[in-house]
Amino acid sequence: METKKISVIVPVYNSINCLERCVRSLCAQTYEELEILLIDDGSTDGTGKLCEQLAASDARIAAYHKENGGASSARNVGLSMASGDYVGFADSDDYVDAYVYEKLVSALERGEYPVAQISRDEVDEEGKRLPDICVPPEKEWYCDSETFIKELLLHRGDSSFCTKLFPRKIFEGHRFPEGELNEDFRLLLDILQEIPGIGILPEQGYHVVCRPDSTTRKRTKDSFSRVFLDIVENADKVQTLVDRKYPALHDYAVRFNLYQRLDYMLHVPLSQMNRDNTFYTNVKKYLRRHTGDTIKNPYLTGKNRAYLLLLSAAPRAARTVHAGKMKLREKCGHG
């Protein structure tokens, strides 16, 4: 029987210090029938040249270069270049255990799952394990699409495309939304509506490296990542989807909407918390209109509820108190 080919798409931007580790982990896969597509998204630090050097070192690697447009646009270029039967993704910061793609292909080839997912862990730049964001199942598990959406709404599911292997045909008519930072969540919701579910493997074979200067973490006092706007907008979209197609998940979607706005309110700089900021004022109005949901929703924690009520009533004062608590915690942590 013909061996199926995998296309692994790696968007690359100014990753000169970590790209080689990522690519070497892909080259070391026990499943060898793959192509590795490095999509250089207009790097300025010499990463583009490194992509060419890596491509010259292994016939399975191909390097492409484009003007800077973000990870989604780079992934979309990769999808247009991919020739594999299956498509996977990796971020250039991260690395993958050697068995991952063999296990994912095996799961799909059994015909039980339309999409397969390996579990993940988070590590710091020195390789030290961090607390799990997505707790792996104890054993292999088929998660139907509605349950998967529920897990996403409870912030327990894994929306990352990097942990999953897809038949390439799934992306016919689908591309990553460009200009957004919550792009995986958005596209995965679209795909989940078209498939019955995802098979989840318990092995934590994909390693997410948490760097303090990454796109969603880099902050100064007054800088503000667009991701906190996108998560609110996507929360509204998922509420509409749930109420139309998955009404049993309504309360989970309400909880998700409130939590995403809580995340926004805890990160928006104090300097932007004013009436001239339309997005901020709309979030504040939303929280005040949904005070009843905040009090009654069974899926919010007591801490979530307290913060939401405080931020609804006196947002700037609540943020000042929160900032003081964070400084005290940081001081105690370094003491």
mmCIF file of all heavy atoms in Angstrom, residues 238-273:
data_model
loop_
_atom_site.group_PDB
_atom_site.id
_atom_site.type_symbol
_atom_site.label_atom_id
_atom_site.label_comp_id
_atom_site.label_asym_id
_atom_site.label_seq_id
_atom_site.Cartn_x
_atom_site.Cartn_y
_atom_site.Cartn_z
ATOM 1 N N VAL A 238 -18.646 33.034 18.315
ATOM 2 C CA VAL A 238 -18.969 31.696 18.799
ATOM 3 C C VAL A 238 -20.319 31.693 19.518
ATOM 4 O O VAL A 238 -21.047 30.700 19.478
ATOM 5 C CB VAL A 238 -17.839 31.141 19.706
ATOM 6 C CG1 VAL A 238 -17.844 31.761 21.087
ATOM 7 C CG2 VAL A 238 -17.966 29.617 19.845
ATOM 8 N N GLN A 239 -20.688 32.800 20.156
ATOM 9 C CA GLN A 239 -22.014 32.887 20.775
ATOM 10 C C GLN A 239 -23.106 32.756 19.710
ATOM 11 O O GLN A 239 -24.085 32.023 19.897
ATOM 12 C CB GLN A 239 -22.169 34.215 21.515
ATOM 13 C CG GLN A 239 -23.494 34.353 22.263
ATOM 14 C CD GLN A 239 -23.507 33.610 23.582
ATOM 15 O OE1 GLN A 239 -22.718 33.911 24.473
ATOM 16 N NE2 GLN A 239 -24.399 32.630 23.716
ATOM 17 N N THR A 240 -22.917 33.444 18.588
ATOM 18 C CA THR A 240 -23.885 33.353 17.490
ATOM 19 C C THR A 240 -23.960 31.932 16.952
ATOM 20 O O THR A 240 -25.048 31.391 16.718
ATOM 21 C CB THR A 240 -23.497 34.324 16.365
ATOM 22 O OG1 THR A 240 -23.481 35.658 16.876
ATOM 23 C CG2 THR A 240 -24.478 34.236 15.210
ATOM 24 N N LEU A 241 -22.784 31.295 16.762
ATOM 25 C CA LEU A 241 -22.744 29.920 16.270
ATOM 26 C C LEU A 241 -23.451 28.963 17.229
ATOM 27 O O LEU A 241 -24.273 28.138 16.820
ATOM 28 C CB LEU A 241 -21.292 29.481 16.079
ATOM 29 C CG LEU A 241 -21.058 27.977 15.904
ATOM 30 C CD1 LEU A 241 -21.685 27.485 14.603
ATOM 31 C CD2 LEU A 241 -19.575 27.645 15.953
ATOM 32 N N VAL A 242 -23.136 29.070 18.511
ATOM 33 C CA VAL A 242 -23.709 28.161 19.511
ATOM 34 C C VAL A 242 -25.222 28.299 19.567
ATOM 35 O O VAL A 242 -25.957 27.306 19.570
ATOM 36 C CB VAL A 242 -23.070 28.426 20.892
ATOM 37 C CG1 VAL A 242 -23.913 27.823 22.008
ATOM 38 C CG2 VAL A 242 -21.656 27.858 20.936
ATOM 39 N N ASP A 243 -25.708 29.528 19.596
ATOM 40 C CA ASP A 243 -27.156 29.724 19.701
ATOM 41 C C ASP A 243 -27.883 29.239 18.459
ATOM 42 O O ASP A 243 -29.049 28.835 18.527
ATOM 43 C CB ASP A 243 -27.459 31.204 19.952
ATOM 44 C CG ASP A 243 -27.047 31.645 21.359
ATOM 45 O OD1 ASP A 243 -26.846 30.766 22.222
ATOM 46 O OD2 ASP A 243 -26.926 32.861 21.594
ATOM 47 N N ARG A 244 -27.176 29.225 17.314
ATOM 48 C CA ARG A 244 -27.797 28.750 16.080
ATOM 49 C C ARG A 244 -27.721 27.240 15.930
ATOM 50 O O ARG A 244 -28.687 26.602 15.519
ATOM 51 C CB ARG A 244 -27.114 29.422 14.879
ATOM 52 C CG ARG A 244 -27.569 28.902 13.516
ATOM 53 C CD ARG A 244 -26.950 29.699 12.377
ATOM 54 N NE ARG A 244 -25.501 29.761 12.469
ATOM 55 C CZ ARG A 244 -24.681 28.827 12.009
ATOM 56 N NH1 ARG A 244 -25.179 27.735 11.443
ATOM 57 N NH2 ARG A 244 -23.379 28.972 12.106
ATOM 58 N N LYS A 245 -26.571 26.654 16.318
ATOM 59 C CA LYS A 245 -26.334 25.244 15.973
ATOM 60 C C LYS A 245 -26.169 24.324 17.178
ATOM 61 O O LYS A 245 -26.434 23.119 17.072
ATOM 62 C CB LYS A 245 -25.078 25.171 15.088
ATOM 63 C CG LYS A 245 -24.918 23.846 14.366
ATOM 64 C CD LYS A 245 -23.881 23.945 13.257
ATOM 65 C CE LYS A 245 -23.785 22.647 12.488
ATOM 66 N NZ LYS A 245 -22.817 22.740 11.370
ATOM 67 N N TYR A 246 -25.726 24.853 18.317
ATOM 68 C CA TYR A 246 -25.487 24.008 19.494
ATOM 69 C C TYR A 246 -26.149 24.632 20.720
ATOM 70 O O TYR A 246 -25.473 25.028 21.672
ATOM 71 C CB TYR A 246 -23.985 23.856 19.744
ATOM 72 C CG TYR A 246 -23.192 23.363 18.548
ATOM 73 C CD1 TYR A 246 -22.446 24.240 17.766
ATOM 74 C CD2 TYR A 246 -23.189 22.014 18.202
ATOM 75 C CE1 TYR A 246 -21.715 23.794 16.674
ATOM 76 C CE2 TYR A 246 -22.467 21.553 17.107
ATOM 77 C CZ TYR A 246 -21.735 22.455 16.352
ATOM 78 O OH TYR A 246 -21.006 22.007 15.268
ATOM 79 N N PRO A 247 -27.481 24.746 20.735
ATOM 80 C CA PRO A 247 -28.167 25.458 21.832
ATOM 81 C C PRO A 247 -27.898 24.881 23.217
ATOM 82 O O PRO A 247 -27.975 25.615 24.214
ATOM 83 C CB PRO A 247 -29.648 25.350 21.458
ATOM 84 C CG PRO A 247 -29.736 24.224 20.469
ATOM 85 C CD PRO A 247 -28.435 24.229 19.732
ATOM 86 N N ALA A 248 -27.542 23.613 23.294
ATOM 87 C CA ALA A 248 -27.239 23.017 24.603
ATOM 88 C C ALA A 248 -25.988 23.627 25.235
ATOM 89 O O ALA A 248 -25.764 23.501 26.442
ATOM 90 C CB ALA A 248 -27.065 21.502 24.467
ATOM 91 N N LEU A 249 -25.180 24.307 24.418
ATOM 92 C CA LEU A 249 -23.937 24.914 24.919
ATOM 93 C C LEU A 249 -24.104 26.394 25.252
ATOM 94 O O LEU A 249 -23.112 27.088 25.500
ATOM 95 C CB LEU A 249 -22.814 24.754 23.876
ATOM 96 C CG LEU A 249 -22.454 23.329 23.459
ATOM 97 C CD1 LEU A 249 -21.306 23.352 22.435
ATOM 98 C CD2 LEU A 249 -22.072 22.481 24.658
ATOM 99 N N HIS A 250 -25.336 26.892 25.290
ATOM 100 C CA HIS A 250 -25.567 28.332 25.475
ATOM 101 C C HIS A 250 -24.867 28.885 26.708
ATOM 102 O O HIS A 250 -24.152 29.897 26.635
ATOM 103 C CB HIS A 250 -27.072 28.615 25.564
ATOM 104 C CG HIS A 250 -27.380 30.040 25.905
ATOM 105 N ND1 HIS A 250 -27.333 31.067 24.987
ATOM 106 C CD2 HIS A 250 -27.715 30.620 27.099
ATOM 107 C CE1 HIS A 250 -27.625 32.201 25.585
ATOM 108 N NE2 HIS A 250 -27.864 31.972 26.858
ATOM 109 N N ASP A 251 -25.057 28.250 27.860
ATOM 110 C CA ASP A 251 -24.462 28.776 29.093
ATOM 111 C C ASP A 251 -22.930 28.735 29.046
ATOM 112 O O ASP A 251 -22.270 29.604 29.626
ATOM 113 C CB ASP A 251 -24.963 28.001 30.314
ATOM 114 C CG ASP A 251 -26.399 28.352 30.672
ATOM 115 O OD1 ASP A 251 -26.890 29.387 30.168
ATOM 116 O OD2 ASP A 251 -27.018 27.600 31.444
ATOM 117 N N TYR A 252 -22.370 27.748 28.363
ATOM 118 C CA TYR A 252 -20.910 27.690 28.207
ATOM 119 C C TYR A 252 -20.423 28.870 27.365
ATOM 120 O O TYR A 252 -19.377 29.462 27.654
ATOM 121 C CB TYR A 252 -20.492 26.379 27.541
ATOM 122 C CG TYR A 252 -20.812 25.141 28.341
ATOM 123 C CD1 TYR A 252 -21.947 24.386 28.064
ATOM 124 C CD2 TYR A 252 -19.972 24.714 29.366
ATOM 125 C CE1 TYR A 252 -22.245 23.254 28.782
ATOM 126 C CE2 TYR A 252 -20.264 23.570 30.102
ATOM 127 C CZ TYR A 252 -21.405 22.841 29.800
ATOM 128 O OH TYR A 252 -21.692 21.718 30.533
ATOM 129 N N ALA A 253 -21.195 29.196 26.314
ATOM 130 C CA ALA A 253 -20.806 30.316 25.453
ATOM 131 C C ALA A 253 -20.928 31.644 26.191
ATOM 132 O O ALA A 253 -20.104 32.545 25.992
ATOM 133 C CB ALA A 253 -21.666 30.329 24.188
ATOM 134 N N VAL A 254 -21.938 31.786 27.038
ATOM 135 C CA VAL A 254 -22.076 32.999 27.848
ATOM 136 C C VAL A 254 -20.876 33.135 28.779
ATOM 137 O O VAL A 254 -20.290 34.220 28.907
ATOM 138 C CB VAL A 254 -23.394 32.969 28.650
ATOM 139 C CG1 VAL A 254 -23.429 34.111 29.669
ATOM 140 C CG2 VAL A 254 -24.593 33.075 27.716
ATOM 141 N N ARG A 255 -20.517 32.034 29.409
ATOM 142 C CA ARG A 255 -19.340 32.053 30.279
ATOM 143 C C ARG A 255 -18.097 32.458 29.497
ATOM 144 O O ARG A 255 -17.284 33.262 29.952
ATOM 145 C CB ARG A 255 -19.148 30.671 30.906
ATOM 146 C CG ARG A 255 -17.906 30.516 31.793
ATOM 147 C CD ARG A 255 -16.788 29.822 31.026
ATOM 148 N NE ARG A 255 -15.580 29.718 31.843
ATOM 149 C CZ ARG A 255 -14.364 29.623 31.355
ATOM 150 N NH1 ARG A 255 -14.170 29.635 30.050
ATOM 151 N NH2 ARG A 255 -13.323 29.523 32.146
ATOM 152 N N PHE A 256 -17.938 31.901 28.284
ATOM 153 C CA PHE A 256 -16.776 32.201 27.446
ATOM 154 C C PHE A 256 -16.744 33.683 27.092
ATOM 155 O O PHE A 256 -15.697 34.329 27.151
ATOM 156 C CB PHE A 256 -16.856 31.343 26.171
ATOM 157 C CG PHE A 256 -15.655 31.442 25.281
ATOM 158 C CD1 PHE A 256 -14.479 30.785 25.599
ATOM 159 C CD2 PHE A 256 -15.704 32.174 24.104
ATOM 160 C CE1 PHE A 256 -13.369 30.857 24.764
ATOM 161 C CE2 PHE A 256 -14.605 32.259 23.263
ATOM 162 C CZ PHE A 256 -13.430 31.598 23.598
ATOM 163 N N ASN A 257 -17.886 34.239 26.727
ATOM 164 C CA ASN A 257 -17.970 35.647 26.373
ATOM 165 C C ASN A 257 -17.555 36.539 27.541
ATOM 166 O O ASN A 257 -16.800 37.504 27.374
ATOM 167 C CB ASN A 257 -19.403 35.983 25.949
ATOM 168 C CG ASN A 257 -19.479 36.503 24.531
ATOM 169 O OD1 ASN A 257 -18.803 37.457 24.204
ATOM 170 N ND2 ASN A 257 -20.292 35.871 23.703
ATOM 171 N N LEU A 258 -18.039 36.216 28.725
ATOM 172 C CA LEU A 258 -17.682 37.013 29.902
ATOM 173 C C LEU A 258 -16.203 36.862 30.232
ATOM 174 O O LEU A 258 -15.515 37.841 30.555
ATOM 175 C CB LEU A 258 -18.540 36.576 31.091
ATOM 176 C CG LEU A 258 -20.024 36.951 31.009
ATOM 177 C CD1 LEU A 258 -20.826 36.198 32.071
ATOM 178 C CD2 LEU A 258 -20.214 38.460 31.184
ATOM 179 N N TYR A 259 -15.688 35.637 30.137
ATOM 180 C CA TYR A 259 -14.285 35.395 30.483
ATOM 181 C C TYR A 259 -13.353 36.116 29.512
ATOM 182 O O TYR A 259 -12.343 36.696 29.927
ATOM 183 C CB TYR A 259 -13.998 33.893 30.465
ATOM 184 C CG TYR A 259 -12.646 33.536 31.028
ATOM 185 C CD1 TYR A 259 -12.518 33.122 32.348
ATOM 186 C CD2 TYR A 259 -11.490 33.622 30.254
ATOM 187 C CE1 TYR A 259 -11.276 32.795 32.879
ATOM 188 C CE2 TYR A 259 -10.251 33.308 30.775
ATOM 189 C CZ TYR A 259 -10.151 32.893 32.083
ATOM 190 O OH TYR A 259 -8.917 32.589 32.607
ATOM 191 N N GLN A 260 -13.669 36.090 28.220
ATOM 192 C CA GLN A 260 -12.813 36.765 27.241
ATOM 193 C C GLN A 260 -12.789 38.272 27.483
ATOM 194 O O GLN A 260 -11.750 38.927 27.325
ATOM 195 C CB GLN A 260 -13.281 36.464 25.817
ATOM 196 C CG GLN A 260 -13.269 34.976 25.440
ATOM 197 C CD GLN A 260 -11.895 34.338 25.530
ATOM 198 O OE1 GLN A 260 -11.399 34.040 26.622
ATOM 199 N NE2 GLN A 260 -11.277 34.128 24.396
ATOM 200 N N ARG A 261 -13.918 38.828 27.867
ATOM 201 C CA ARG A 261 -13.947 40.256 28.175
ATOM 202 C C ARG A 261 -13.212 40.556 29.480
ATOM 203 O O ARG A 261 -12.598 41.618 29.619
ATOM 204 C CB ARG A 261 -15.395 40.745 28.216
ATOM 205 C CG ARG A 261 -15.973 40.906 26.803
ATOM 206 C CD ARG A 261 -17.474 41.149 26.809
ATOM 207 N NE ARG A 261 -17.923 41.635 25.501
ATOM 208 C CZ ARG A 261 -18.164 40.856 24.461
ATOM 209 N NH1 ARG A 261 -18.008 39.535 24.573
ATOM 210 N NH2 ARG A 261 -18.560 41.376 23.306
ATOM 211 N N LEU A 262 -13.256 39.629 30.411
ATOM 212 C CA LEU A 262 -12.458 39.774 31.633
ATOM 213 C C LEU A 262 -10.978 39.811 31.282
ATOM 214 O O LEU A 262 -10.216 40.654 31.797
ATOM 215 C CB LEU A 262 -12.755 38.610 32.584
ATOM 216 C CG LEU A 262 -11.845 38.467 33.817
ATOM 217 C CD1 LEU A 262 -11.933 39.697 34.701
ATOM 218 C CD2 LEU A 262 -12.218 37.212 34.601
ATOM 219 N N ASP A 263 -10.551 38.922 30.387
ATOM 220 C CA ASP A 263 -9.154 38.893 29.963
ATOM 221 C C ASP A 263 -8.758 40.222 29.317
ATOM 222 O O ASP A 263 -7.672 40.760 29.566
ATOM 223 C CB ASP A 263 -8.949 37.734 28.975
ATOM 224 C CG ASP A 263 -7.505 37.249 28.918
ATOM 225 O OD1 ASP A 263 -6.703 37.667 29.763
ATOM 226 O OD2 ASP A 263 -7.193 36.448 28.016
ATOM 227 N N TYR A 264 -9.638 40.739 28.472
ATOM 228 C CA TYR A 264 -9.378 42.048 27.857
ATOM 229 C C TYR A 264 -9.220 43.129 28.925
ATOM 230 O O TYR A 264 -8.258 43.910 28.900
ATOM 231 C CB TYR A 264 -10.527 42.406 26.909
ATOM 232 C CG TYR A 264 -10.495 43.857 26.456
ATOM 233 C CD1 TYR A 264 -9.770 44.243 25.342
ATOM 234 C CD2 TYR A 264 -11.196 44.842 27.159
ATOM 235 C CE1 TYR A 264 -9.733 45.573 24.933
ATOM 236 C CE2 TYR A 264 -11.161 46.173 26.763
ATOM 237 C CZ TYR A 264 -10.423 46.532 25.654
ATOM 238 O OH TYR A 264 -10.370 47.843 25.270
ATOM 239 N N MET A 265 -10.149 43.179 29.873
ATOM 240 C CA MET A 265 -10.145 44.242 30.877
ATOM 241 C C MET A 265 -8.928 44.172 31.800
ATOM 242 O O MET A 265 -8.472 45.188 32.323
ATOM 243 C CB MET A 265 -11.425 44.189 31.702
ATOM 244 C CG MET A 265 -12.670 44.577 30.925
ATOM 245 S SD MET A 265 -12.701 46.331 30.479
ATOM 246 C CE MET A 265 -13.374 47.053 31.973
ATOM 247 N N LEU A 266 -8.389 42.981 31.975
ATOM 248 C CA LEU A 266 -7.215 42.836 32.842
ATOM 249 C C LEU A 266 -5.913 43.135 32.107
ATOM 250 O O LEU A 266 -4.854 43.192 32.736
ATOM 251 C CB LEU A 266 -7.160 41.420 33.429
ATOM 252 C CG LEU A 266 -8.230 41.103 34.477
ATOM 253 C CD1 LEU A 266 -8.122 39.652 34.916
ATOM 254 C CD2 LEU A 266 -8.117 42.028 35.688
ATOM 255 N N HIS A 267 -5.982 43.346 30.796
ATOM 256 C CA HIS A 267 -4.762 43.607 30.027
ATOM 257 C C HIS A 267 -4.732 44.959 29.325
ATOM 258 O O HIS A 267 -3.650 45.445 29.008
ATOM 259 C CB HIS A 267 -4.545 42.494 28.976
ATOM 260 C CG HIS A 267 -4.110 41.196 29.571
ATOM 261 N ND1 HIS A 267 -4.998 40.234 30.006
ATOM 262 C CD2 HIS A 267 -2.870 40.701 29.822
ATOM 263 C CE1 HIS A 267 -4.331 39.201 30.484
ATOM 264 N NE2 HIS A 267 -3.045 39.449 30.388
ATOM 265 N N VAL A 268 -5.895 45.547 29.070
ATOM 266 C CA VAL A 268 -5.899 46.838 28.394
ATOM 267 C C VAL A 268 -5.167 47.859 29.267
ATOM 268 O O VAL A 268 -5.400 47.936 30.467
ATOM 269 C CB VAL A 268 -7.346 47.311 28.086
ATOM 270 C CG1 VAL A 268 -8.175 47.472 29.352
ATOM 271 C CG2 VAL A 268 -7.322 48.602 27.283
ATOM 272 N N PRO A 269 -4.214 48.618 28.704
ATOM 273 C CA PRO A 269 -3.471 49.586 29.513
ATOM 274 C C PRO A 269 -4.406 50.619 30.143
ATOM 275 O O PRO A 269 -5.412 51.023 29.546
ATOM 276 C CB PRO A 269 -2.530 50.247 28.500
ATOM 277 C CG PRO A 269 -2.393 49.250 27.398
ATOM 278 C CD PRO A 269 -3.715 48.557 27.319
ATOM 279 N N LEU A 270 -4.064 51.042 31.352
ATOM 280 C CA LEU A 270 -4.867 52.054 32.034
ATOM 281 C C LEU A 270 -5.015 53.304 31.174
ATOM 282 O O LEU A 270 -6.054 53.972 31.206
ATOM 283 C CB LEU A 270 -4.227 52.404 33.377
ATOM 284 C CG LEU A 270 -4.409 51.374 34.500
ATOM 285 C CD1 LEU A 270 -3.502 51.714 35.681
ATOM 286 C CD2 LEU A 270 -5.853 51.322 34.960
ATOM 287 N N SER A 271 -3.978 53.619 30.401
ATOM 288 C CA SER A 271 -4.020 54.814 29.566
ATOM 289 C C SER A 271 -5.088 54.725 28.479
ATOM 290 O O SER A 271 -5.496 55.738 27.910
ATOM 291 C CB SER A 271 -2.653 55.050 28.914
ATOM 292 O OG SER A 271 -2.308 53.963 28.074
ATOM 293 N N GLN A 272 -5.552 53.508 28.171
ATOM 294 C CA GLN A 272 -6.569 53.326 27.136
ATOM 295 C C GLN A 272 -7.968 53.103 27.708
ATOM 296 O O GLN A 272 -8.924 52.880 26.967
ATOM 297 C CB GLN A 272 -6.190 52.156 26.222
ATOM 298 C CG GLN A 272 -4.891 52.379 25.449
ATOM 299 C CD GLN A 272 -4.568 51.246 24.509
ATOM 300 O OE1 GLN A 272 -5.447 50.575 23.981
ATOM 301 N NE2 GLN A 272 -3.277 51.031 24.279
ATOM 302 N N MET A 273 -8.071 53.152 29.031
ATOM 303 C CA MET A 273 -9.374 52.959 29.676
ATOM 304 C C MET A 273 -10.072 54.317 29.795
ATOM 305 O O MET A 273 -10.140 54.908 30.867
ATOM 306 C CB MET A 273 -9.200 52.286 31.028
ATOM 307 C CG MET A 273 -8.605 50.891 30.938
ATOM 308 S SD MET A 273 -8.258 50.116 32.543
ATOM 309 C CE MET A 273 -9.931 49.724 33.093
#
